[in-house]
Amino acid sequence: MAFGLGSASLLKEIDQNGSLAAAARELGMSYRAAWGRIKDIEAALGEKLLEKKGGNKSGYRLSPLGRKMLVAYTEWEEQVHAAALRLAREKFPVPVD
């Protein structure tokens, strides 16, 4: 799977911080590992996930595809969680939150 929780978390942090380095720090990753993850996903998808904000040290923002992937993953995750709660309520006689 080219895109999952770790990838979504990385994009979310880049979106919030505007910086790959800050996102990597926040997630306890090295910059090199974070950059490698982004490059692997981009290679699998055939499009860029990030765009430079300006000059060389200005940071990054999500590309249209990066934004689309983050939104889609977040929606999917919410739907899976809701479905799991419904199923748990059906299967178990005690309240499940």
Side-chain angles (χ1 to χ4, degrees):
M1 187 169 170
F3 197 88
L5 176 59
S7 303
S9 297
L10 182 55
L11 288 187
K12 182 179 177 185
E13 289 296 330
I14 293 167
D15 193 39
Q16 290 176 348
N17 293 296
S19 164
L20 181 61
R25 252 190 325 274
E26 187 67 30
L27 295 171
M29 301 174 73
S30 70
Y31 181 88
R32 182 180 171 136
W35 187 243
R37 167 87 50 101
I38 294 295
K39 288 299 167 191
D40 288 345
I41 299 165
E42 290 177 343
L45 297 174
E47 287 186 53
K48 298 284 185 188
L49 294 174
L50 304 178
E51 299 174 339
K52 291 293 281 172
K53 282 203 273 187
N56 207 22
K57 300 250 182 191
S58 297
Y60 290 96
R61 66 175 162 253
L62 301 184
S63 70
L65 177 64
R67 171 90 39 224
K68 182 179 178 179
M69 294 294 291
L70 181 56
V71 168
Y73 184 86
T74 302
E75 289 172 352
W76 172 82
E77 187 177 47
E78 290 168 357
Q79 292 169 356
V80 167
H81 182 72
L85 285 176
R86 280 192 303 276
L87 185 59
R89 287 184 187 111
E90 290 173 16
K91 300 291 180 184
F92 302 104
V94 293
V96 176
D97 293 325

